[in-house]
Amino acid sequence: FGNNGVIGKNLNGKFKLGNNIDFENGEITPIGSYTSPSTNNPFTGIFDGGDKILSNFTIKASSDYAGLFAYNKGVIKNVVVDSASFIIAGVMYNLGIIAGYNEGRIENCEVNNSSVKKTDSNNFPSCYVGGIAGRNKKVSDDYPGQITGCSVNNMEIEALSICGSIVGYNNGTIENCSSSGSVTGSWSTSEAGGLVGSSLGGKITGCSSSCDVIYVTSSTNSDACEFGGLIGYVNNSVITDCFSTGTVSAGNANNVGGLIGLFESGTVSGKTYSTGAVTGNSNIGGLIGKLGTGLAIEGSSSDYISSSGTVTGNSNVGGLIGCVSSNTQINYCKSTSSVIAGASPTQNFGGLI
């Protein structure tokens, strides 16, 4: 492993791991690199972890785009990681345990008891930070940006913004993935989610998160934040058959939801729900904090889209949705959430909206 290992010297090769490897708290460097769209060395081969375990290692990130693989355009599958972390040099972007940046396929990978968080007060993750990949992007059918059947367990993510336990920023496809642990955003413009921080033009299907999502900042009443139990910010994305059960604690932030913080465009459908407690300032909902113009939330008579966790905020607080824009359709949805006024309540409280 590492950029000077056999994989790093054969980035288009085919590899299969034959045994567990315990790195005994050693350091490794990312395989491949990404400097710019025209200057990069992606992994384009196939790496099959064979369900063997890579354990007790630290990824030494000396530049942006870092993980076991810095930049993946190939196939990474059946990799199990236990007890991995980062040493970060500077303020860094695009960090993930499996890959910093994925345009290829990551399949059936598992990351346990691991973290992506600051090394010290001067060296920390900034944006595009995830447990599987920092950024997941579809470029073409050949490079689909696809993450399937992956899980993270007892994952700890801490970043300024655009962070999630599976992926920080998604513009590809995420299917049948799950997560547990915690995700913390600490910037006045944070986008943080239990599964994905921000999804723009992506598809997320059959996914779940029990992560606790937390906002830690000295800023007050930040309208530029989005925090969700599953996804912080959604635009032009399709969300189907997903749920979240973790708490979302963002006491002085706006746009906070049990499933999605701010949903600007796209669709939510299928068996989709949230059960965790939600706390924020304004635009606070048990399912969605704020819903944009002209959108449709479509459940069915057999599968209502629903929320059931306690919802606490100061204004625009709803059991299902905190704030709804014009020309919106909400069909076959329900909430059994308790709605509670926060420390400085002002206006607009509803059992549903």
Side-chain angles (χ1 to χ4, degrees), residues 3-324:
N3 208 28
N4 293 319
V6 64
I7 303 172
K9 293 177 180 179
N10 299 273
L11 291 172
N12 64 346
K14 297 180 180 180
F15 305 91
K16 185 170 183 178
L17 194 62
N19 297 287
N20 298 335
I21 300 177
D22 186 342
F23 291 91
E24 299 180 343
N25 300 316
E27 297 178 6
I28 63 174
T29 56
I31 296 168
S33 64
Y34 183 102
T35 304
S36 69
S38 60
T39 307
N40 56 71
N41 292 294
F43 177 73
T44 56
I46 298 173
F47 181 81
D48 184 348
D51 295 321
K52 304 301 181 183
I53 302 172
L54 304 174
S55 62
N56 301 309
F57 62 90
T58 299
I59 299 167
K60 188 174 182 180
S62 57
S63 62
D64 296 337
Y65 301 90
L68 275 172
F69 295 82
Y71 177 24
N72 177 52
K73 297 182 74 171
V75 177
I76 302 169
K77 60 184 180 179
N78 307 322
V79 176
V80 181
V81 171
D82 187 73
S83 302
S85 61
F86 272 82
I87 293 178
I88 295 171
V91 180
M92 308 200 73
Y93 296 74
N94 296 292
L95 306 177
I97 297 293
I98 301 297
Y101 183 18
N102 178 55
E103 291 180 352
R105 293 175 172 86
I106 300 176
E107 303 169 352
N108 303 317
C109 291
E110 182 178 330
V111 178
N112 303 315
N113 307 311
S114 299
S115 64
V116 186
K117 58 183 183 179
K118 67 181 181 181
T119 301
D120 54 46
S121 60
N122 295 315
N123 302 282
F124 53 85
S126 179
C127 300
Y128 313 123
V129 178
I132 296 295
R135 185 186 299 196
N136 183 53
K137 183 177 181 180
K138 179 179 180 178
V139 176
S140 65
D141 290 341
D142 291 331
Y143 303 112
Q146 186 169 329
I147 297 175
T148 306
C150 293
S151 65
V152 300
N153 304 289
N154 193 29
M155 171 63 65
E156 187 177 5
I157 301 289
E158 295 179 0
L160 293 182
S161 183
I162 313 180
C163 53
S165 64
I166 295 288
V167 169
Y169 175 94
N170 178 53
N171 180 241
T173 298
I174 301 174
E175 296 178 333
N176 302 322
C177 293
S178 63
S179 66
S180 69
S182 64
V183 178
T184 301
S186 58
W187 210 3
S188 59
T189 57
S190 285
E191 297 170 7
L195 194 88
V196 174
S198 179
S199 183
L200 281 79
K203 295 181 180 180
I204 300 175
T205 304
C207 293
S208 65
S209 175
S210 63
C211 285
D212 293 329
V213 181
I214 304 161
Y215 183 37
V216 180
T217 184
S218 58
S219 300
T220 58
N221 303 344
S222 179
D223 194 47
C225 285
E226 293 92 30
F227 286 81
L230 192 81
I231 313 166
Y233 175 73
V234 174
N235 194 327
N236 190 31
S237 297
V238 177
I239 315 300
T240 308
D241 295 329
C242 294
F243 68 90
S244 59
T245 60
T247 62
V248 185
S249 303
N252 56 349
N254 302 338
N255 309 316
V256 182
L259 190 81
I260 298 169
L262 175 58
F263 183 32
E264 285 202 328
S265 67
T267 61
V268 173
S269 63
K271 191 172 184 179
T272 297
Y273 62 91
S274 61
T275 64
V278 181
T279 304
N281 178 56
S282 181
N283 302 335
I284 313 302
L287 188 82
I288 298 171
K290 185 176 181 179
L291 185 63
T293 301
L295 300 183
I297 307 298
E298 297 281 354
S300 69
S301 59
S302 59
D303 285 316
Y304 274 65
I305 291 174
S306 66
S307 62
S308 59
T310 300
V311 183
T312 304
N314 293 318
S315 66
N316 302 337
V317 183
L320 190 78
I321 303 171
C323 178
V324 175

